[in-house]
Amino acid sequence: MNSFLYKIKILLLRILGYEKPLRVALLKYLSLKFTNFRPHYETLIYEASKSSIKLGYSEINVIELGVAGGDGIKSLIKYKKKIEKVLKIKINIIGFDTGSGLPKTTDKKDLPFFWKQGDYTNKNLKDLEKESDNVKIYQGNISSTIDQFISENQHKIGLIIFDLDLYSSTKLFLNKIPNLSEKNFLLPRTFCYFDDLFIADYFLDNTNGEPLAITEFNNEFKDIKLGKSFDHINDFKFPLAKGQIYTLHDLNNADYDKYIGIYDSDSLSGHNKDKFRSILDD
């Protein structure tokens, strides 16, 4: 059997063994083919915006950690413009990146066998600020740029997208979260999307990378926790993001107990199920 036929055999085995509907794989393929197609980004911003409005906020920040080539920021800009037209909210896009790509690392928890120094270099980060109003890119080491952001920030953080790749970089930012809490910059529950909880080549697991950084964060801090929702058939809100979304619970937040529950007029739960059915019937 030649190499091509063998690869076809492996592909067929993987397709036959794929546990989820193949439409999920198709959606993932489209997101890889068209780098600005990120439906999980759109739905995350949308849900974060709705929660913020319920809590009484008309302006929020959406943060991407690890800008790389800028496709993520461009997607966020595209989606935020649409959402601002639908909801009465202003969305600021904030990016953090060194501009020089991934740093050199010898920490085995950083997966140095998978990531290498200089990956995702972008010397033109600041050009992204020209793409739209209310876009700010902090360029430099995140250990200092996050402090700059804290000194300049005036609005709540509705969503944090983690794409720092390395355990050490993710850990560094997570250790700054108590500062964000103390400055009252967090929502009581802030969506966090972790891009690198899984890699198709495997070898990333609970002993290294982002998963380990999350575990250590939860062990170290009592009143700020990253929680992962239970998997359930009713989980439909975030296409392509299932398994990668955590909720950052700021338990000391003054708004934590403020009601934003299922009986809200825009909910698909509780007494509004009949309303949802009527929409489908139309």
Side-chain angles (χ1 to χ4, degrees):
M1 182 180 293
N2 63 36
S3 175
F4 175 75
L5 291 176
Y6 186 71
K7 289 178 179 178
I8 292 296
K9 174 192 171 183
I10 295 295
L11 175 62
L12 289 173
L13 285 172
R14 287 173 173 170
I15 290 174
L16 291 172
Y18 190 64
E19 296 178 355
K20 299 173 179 62
L22 289 180
R23 63 178 181 273
V24 178
L26 175 61
L27 203 61
K28 181 60 179 178
Y29 171 77
L30 291 174
S31 73
L32 296 172
K33 185 73 173 177
F34 305 101
T35 54
N36 289 341
F37 175 66
R38 305 189 183 199
H40 45 308
Y41 277 24
E42 183 171 16
T43 49
L44 278 163
I45 300 174
Y46 179 67
E47 294 297 333
S49 297
K50 287 202 306 178
S51 294
S52 300
I53 291 169
K54 291 177 185 178
L55 289 164
Y57 301 108
S58 59
E59 185 169 355
I60 60 169
N61 293 323
V62 169
I63 292 177
E64 183 180 54
L65 304 170
V67 173
D71 290 325
I73 292 291
K74 291 175 182 177
S75 298
L76 292 172
I77 291 170
K78 176 178 65 174
Y79 297 135
K80 81 113 174 177
K81 288 179 177 178
K82 294 179 180 179
I83 291 167
E84 285 176 335
K85 292 178 180 178
V86 175
L87 302 176
K88 294 180 180 179
I89 194 166
K90 181 179 178 182
I91 303 167
N92 306 306
I93 306 299
I94 312 293
F96 289 86
D97 201 288
T98 63
S100 56
L102 295 181
K104 183 178 180 180
T105 180
T106 57
D107 190 335
K108 290 179 173 57
K109 296 188 290 292
D110 281 337
L111 285 74
F113 53 83
F114 187 81
W115 309 111
K116 70 177 186 299
Q117 182 179 11
D119 281 351
Y120 310 119
T121 298
N122 185 350
K123 300 295 186 182
N124 303 306
L125 284 173
K126 285 294 183 178
D127 289 347
L128 292 168
E129 295 182 345
K130 303 172 186 176
E131 295 280 336
S132 176
D133 295 335
N134 310 117
V135 177
K136 172 74 174 178
I137 306 296
Y138 287 90
Q139 184 170 351
N141 191 297
I142 200 168
S143 61
S144 58
T145 54
I146 187 59
D147 291 330
Q148 182 185 350
F149 166 77
I150 288 173
S151 69
E152 297 175 351
N153 181 49
Q154 298 178 355
H155 303 290
K156 300 285 187 181
I157 299 168
L159 167 64
I160 306 173
I161 296 171
F162 286 80
D163 196 4
L164 294 168
D165 302 318
L166 306 182
Y167 156 84
S168 56
S169 302
T170 304
K171 175 81 169 174
L172 194 155
F173 183 86
L174 289 176
N175 285 343
K176 293 285 186 177
I177 284 179
N179 294 2
L180 295 173
S181 174
E182 289 171 8
K183 296 291 185 180
N184 200 27
F185 288 156
L186 297 175
L187 293 179
R189 291 158 299 276
T190 303
F191 280 127
C192 295
Y193 172 81
F194 289 87
D195 188 70
D196 298 297
L197 288 179
F198 176 81
I199 55 177
D201 297 283
Y202 279 65
F203 307 124
L204 180 142
D205 49 49
N206 61 327
T207 69
N208 53 32
E210 284 184 346
L212 180 60
I214 293 169
T215 299
E216 291 181 350
F217 174 83
N218 282 333
N219 289 338
E220 290 169 15
F221 298 104
K222 177 182 177 182
D223 296 319
I224 311 175
K225 297 291 184 181
L226 279 164
K228 192 173 186 298
S229 294
F230 295 109
D231 188 18
H232 197 277
I233 192 171
N234 287 332
D235 184 3
F236 62 91
K237 282 189 173 181
F238 304 108
L240 294 185
K242 194 171 184 179
Q244 292 175 270
I245 298 173
Y246 279 71
T247 300
L248 178 62
H249 293 269
D250 185 8
L251 299 175
N252 288 329
N253 194 296
D255 287 334
Y256 196 87
D257 294 337
K258 186 173 181 179
Y259 182 76
I260 60 168
I262 64 173
Y263 299 112
D264 179 84
S265 61
D266 195 30
S267 175
L268 300 184
S269 307
H271 289 314
N272 292 289
K273 290 178 180 176
D274 290 338
K275 175 182 175 183
F276 184 46
R277 290 192 189 100
S278 68
I279 293 171
L280 293 178
D281 290 340
D282 290 342

